[in-house]
Each structure stands twice: as C-alpha cells, then as structure tokens.
Amino acid sequence: ELAYNLNYTEAQRNYEKGLELAEKANDSFSKMKAYQGLSYVFNESGNFELALDNNQKAIDIAKDLQDYQFLSEMHAYRGGLY
C-alpha cells in the first residue's frame, strides 16, 4: 500500500515560485504549467474558486500558444471542477 504525504501549502509555494521564475524568463509554456499545477492544488485543497481562476489562466495561455492538446485537457479538467 502506498502512502502519500500531501502538503498543499508546500506545493502551492513551489508552483508560485515556478510562476515567478517563468514570468521573469518570459516563458509562457512554464507559466501555463504553473497555473495548471496551482489549479490542481487549489482543487484538492477545496478552494474551487481559485482552482477555476488558475485553470482559466492556463486556458488563456494555451489559446495564445495554440497548444490545442493542453487546451483540451484544461477544458476537460475544468468540467470536473463543476
């Protein structure tokens, strides 16, 4: 049996740090992935409003990058948030 140590606070901190670095580097792909991660963290920790907000930010960047595979994944995930 596997046991998971889920530390949402630490995960959120790490994604936010990654987002900060991606912004400094003007790296849209990494920003998109950081918003995706934050959406997952907020969903799992019960903050659905922030999960939706970060999901939308990831979707917006995916549209700009024309990353249709990621875009479809984020829309599917968004459906699960409701």
Side-chain angles (χ1 to χ4, degrees):
E1 180 177 322
L2 293 175
Y4 295 96
N5 180 9
L6 302 176
N7 186 333
Y8 298 120
T9 302
E10 183 177 349
Q12 179 184 345
R13 237 187 341 259
N14 289 333
Y15 281 121
E16 287 172 347
K17 180 64 174 172
L19 180 59
E20 179 183 321
L21 293 171
E23 287 174 346
K24 286 181 182 178
N26 199 26
D27 180 351
S28 294
F29 181 82
S30 294
K31 283 171 51 175
M32 178 180 73
K33 296 298 280 186
Y35 284 126
Q36 175 191 33
L38 285 166
S39 181
Y40 292 162
V41 167
F42 289 127
N43 181 42
E44 291 299 318
S45 62
N47 192 331
F48 302 113
E49 187 174 321
L50 282 176
L52 286 168
D53 182 53
N54 282 277
N55 174 267
Q56 187 60 54
K57 290 176 182 177
I59 286 172
D60 292 343
I61 294 171
K63 285 179 186 176
D64 290 342
L65 296 177
Q66 298 181 346
D67 188 334
Y68 300 112
Q69 180 178 346
F70 188 84
L71 190 58
S72 68
E73 292 171 13
M74 288 293 87
H75 277 294
Y77 183 74
R78 186 176 189 85
L81 291 173
Y82 285 100

